[in-house]
Each structure stands twice: as C-alpha cells, then as structure tokens.
Amino acid sequence: MKAKVFVLLIGMCSLLALAGCGASSANPPSATTASTGVAPSGSQPTSVMTTTGAPAASTPTSAAQPTSAAAVPSGKPNDVILNSQRALLNVKAYRTRMTSTLASGRSSTTLIEFIQPDRVHMTLGSGVEYIAIKSQGTWQKVNGVWSKSASDMGDTIFAFRDPKVIEELEKSIVVEQAKFIGPDLLDGKPMFVYQYGTALKGAGAGGSDLTGTYKLWVGVTDSLPYKLEGESDSVLTKGEKTKILTIYEYDPNIKIEKPI
C-alpha cells in the first residue's frame, strides 16, 4: 500500500509526471522551459530546490493578471486539475523537481527527467541515480560509478506513467474542496491557480487515513502543470506532516542515454 501511495504522490507531483507527480506522447502546445540549460546525467540535486525559473512569489497577487486569456477559467476545478495531469502525459520531454520537507525540517529533492516514450532519469535526494530505458535495461549510479542492474526495474520506475495513477488521484480529490484561487504569473507566464484537498483511506502508518491540501499552478495557454505545493499527512509517521514543492520544467533538449 505504501508503494502505491508513493507512486501516487509522485504521480501527483511529477506525473514528472511521475509520470505525471501522474502523468504520454506529443509536444505540448506553447510549452516552454521554466529553467535555463539541461541538467547533465551526472548532476545531483541539492536539498534545496534551485530551479532558475522558480517564481518570485508563491501566492497569486491581484496585480498578476493573465494577458492571453480571460481572468476566469472554464470548467470545474477538479476537472481542470485532472486534465492538467492528462496533458502532462502528452509532453515529449520534461523534468520535475520535487522537494519534500519532513516535520523535523529535513528536506530532500528528487529530480526526474522523462523522454517520451521510453526513457527516464531519476536522481534521489541521497544522490543515487537511475536510468531506465524500456527493452534495454536499468542502470544505477552509486558513489559516482554506474552499473547495470541485474534485474530490469523499468516496470517499477515507469509505473508513474500509468494512466491509472490519474484515476487514483481522481478518487482521492475531495471535490467540494477544489476551487479556483485566481490568476498569477510564474516566470512571466500567465497561470490559473487552484486549491484542492485529497483523502486516501487507510494508506498511512498503521492503516490511518492520509489527507493533504495543495495548490496547483496551471498554464493558461497550454493547461499544463507548472508548480505544485502543499502539505500532507506523513506516510511513515502518524500525526506528522510532510510539505511538498514540485516544479515542472518543459525542455525539449533533455537527453537520456545509456551511461555505459
């Protein structure tokens, strides 16, 4: 069950999309990169998110009005949220940086890069890296040395790309809590900001329920997710909270090759 929750959270944050946090095979309309440059295969994320294109403010302001669309989006809030994750499935190449902060204050960032339809590069907060290429294998980098895994972990790593992750997200959204917050700008791009709550029955420590509250920045022109931030119950420790910040970057120049 915990593995399922992990995949769902990644899906919700990179449906990366992680697969999504829930993400499958076309270039997004008008999608542009939210950072400069491409992270090399050997790069390591730090415990603090350092995306060049990170927004200057985390909350919408009355002055930040979209310039290319009406100030009020169409569609029910929960539908817009889910459709943003479905749109992510159609992106050819993108990366996500998901920073999790525990109740103790300890933070860890997971970087995931994806190239449609079959390549993923994942760097965990511990510094361990994985590259998975369907039908070719999985490689792991530990202490600066790449080695090919004896077993192909592709099915596990690509689980975040399963459309069923979106179905799980849909089941978890508390519809009455989903609402449109207002317009905002991220790195000069017009956004619609939504807030929603989630509830997962029996998915936490000791079979406890998991609840969370999130804000999602959706591109006005392409309906893609650009930022997700929020707080949820800890999967591991009952009564504690985990904060999550995910930045989505759409970069057609991402490259993922066999390391050895």
Side-chain angles (χ1 to χ4, degrees):
M1 176 63 75
K2 290 181 180 178
K4 180 179 180 181
V5 172
F6 176 75
V7 170
L8 174 59
L9 289 177
I10 285 193
M12 286 162 59
C13 301
S14 306
L15 266 187
L16 160 246
L18 255 195
C21 265
S24 266
S25 50
N27 290 311
S30 304
T32 57
T33 178
S35 67
T36 59
V38 178
S41 60
S43 65
Q44 309 252 349
T46 62
S47 60
V48 179
M49 193 276 295
T50 57
T51 305
T52 303
S58 60
T59 57
T61 62
S62 58
Q65 296 291 334
T67 59
S68 59
V72 179
S74 60
K76 296 179 180 179
N78 55 307
D79 289 337
V80 174
I81 293 166
L82 292 169
N83 286 337
S84 73
Q85 301 306 310
R86 295 186 179 101
L88 191 59
L89 287 172
N90 295 322
V91 176
K92 183 177 181 180
Y94 63 95
R95 70 172 61 88
T96 62
R97 299 175 189 266
M98 183 175 72
T99 299
S100 299
T101 304
L102 304 179
S104 64
R106 180 181 177 183
S107 294
S108 179
T109 296
T110 297
L111 171 78
I112 302 174
E113 295 178 315
F114 174 80
I115 299 178
Q116 178 71 25
D118 59 1
R119 295 174 183 240
V120 167
H121 175 207
M122 180 186 304
T123 304
L124 306 181
S126 62
V128 176
E129 295 183 54
Y130 295 93
I131 287 179
I133 302 176
K134 283 187 177 180
S135 302
Q136 296 189 42
T138 303
W139 294 262
Q140 180 178 4
K141 184 179 182 181
V142 180
N143 296 326
V145 179
W146 283 102
S147 61
K148 189 170 184 179
S149 300
S151 58
D152 188 351
M153 297 181 290
D155 288 343
T156 300
I157 294 177
F158 280 92
F160 70 81
R161 296 288 302 174
D162 191 333
K164 290 183 179 179
V165 173
I166 297 179
E167 294 178 11
E168 293 295 331
L169 173 59
E170 183 174 11
K171 294 176 184 177
S172 74
I173 289 179
V174 182
V175 175
E176 56 269 25
Q177 293 182 15
K179 61 182 178 180
F180 172 60
I181 298 289
D184 197 8
L185 290 174
L186 284 184
D187 197 24
K189 299 179 180 67
M191 300 283 154
F192 287 139
V193 186
Y194 291 85
Q195 180 174 301
Y196 64 99
T198 58
L200 293 168
K201 298 294 185 181
S208 60
D209 296 343
L210 293 181
T211 62
T213 302
Y214 303 90
K215 286 201 296 185
L216 178 67
W217 280 251
V218 178
V220 169
T221 60
D222 55 22
S223 300
L224 287 167
Y226 279 82
K227 177 182 174 182
L228 175 73
E229 68 176 19
E231 183 178 77
S232 69
D233 295 325
S234 171
V235 175
L236 302 177
T237 306
K238 187 175 181 179
E240 291 190 356
K241 298 287 185 178
T242 299
K243 293 182 179 180
I244 296 173
L245 171 64
T246 299
I247 300 296
Y248 301 79
E249 304 170 359
Y250 302 100
D251 187 347
N253 297 314
I254 293 173
K255 295 185 183 300
I256 302 174
E257 304 293 345
K258 290 190 295 185
I260 55 176

